[in-house]
Amino acid sequence: ELLDVKFSNPLDLEVGCELVSTHHFGGEIEFLKKSPEDGDLRVASIASINAGLAASNLELLDDLKHQHTQEVLDLQERYARLSEAGYHRGAFQSIKSVFLSDEGKSALGCIGLSEGCDHDHDAYYHAHP
């Protein structure tokens, strides 16, 4: 679902011009008409795209939660020991919780950066490798 689509200029593309789209950090998509005569002209923008979560995806997550019930305890203490040894500090301590399956063959976790965790390249990535 496209949200808040706006056409700011006519979308009349002639031979020799290009339609270029740019996805900005935060969700907006901008469409520019590039031509030798007019230069860059913004023709449209989309505030955001709502893909939504299908009910089947939510059901799958709910099923996974029911299959992974053994909580891994003491994550913060484990991170403290790694930090004291010189490993996995700051943003690398992103695992919030982990649950194992009853068989211990799979894990379901919640990850996220700590509040106030900033990096020089934050503007370039939705998820950094």
Side-chain angles (χ1 to χ4, degrees):
E1 173 182 8
L2 302 178
L3 304 176
D4 197 17
V5 178
K6 294 179 184 173
F7 287 89
S8 49
N9 287 293
L11 188 60
D12 55 347
L13 300 177
E14 303 95 20
V15 173
C17 73
E18 300 175 70
L19 180 64
V20 177
S21 66
T22 305
H23 184 204
H24 297 283
F25 185 76
E28 182 188 26
I29 301 174
E30 177 181 49
F31 293 90
L32 300 174
K33 172 184 165 183
K34 292 180 172 260
S35 69
E37 298 83 35
D38 301 326
D40 295 356
L41 178 66
R42 182 178 171 141
V43 293
S45 65
I46 300 172
S48 63
I49 298 175
N50 182 7
L53 281 176
S56 62
N57 288 343
L58 292 174
E59 290 169 5
L60 175 61
L61 179 58
D62 195 44
D63 287 344
L64 288 170
K65 286 180 180 179
H66 289 317
Q67 295 168 13
H68 296 81
T69 57
Q70 297 180 21
E71 184 174 9
V72 175
L73 301 176
D74 304 327
L75 287 176
Q76 295 309 313
E77 289 79 6
R78 293 173 192 226
Y79 274 139
R81 286 195 307 270
L82 286 169
S83 183
E84 288 169 6
Y87 301 101
H88 294 90
R89 295 179 181 153
F92 291 102
Q93 295 187 0
S94 57
I95 299 172
K96 304 298 181 194
S97 64
V98 177
F99 291 85
L100 301 176
S101 66
D102 291 336
E103 304 83 29
K105 293 184 179 182
S106 63
L108 179 65
C110 178
I111 61 171
L113 293 176
S114 302
E115 290 292 323
C117 183
D118 295 325
H119 189 274
D120 293 342
H121 299 282
D122 283 351
Y124 300 112
Y125 301 104
H126 291 288
H128 191 285

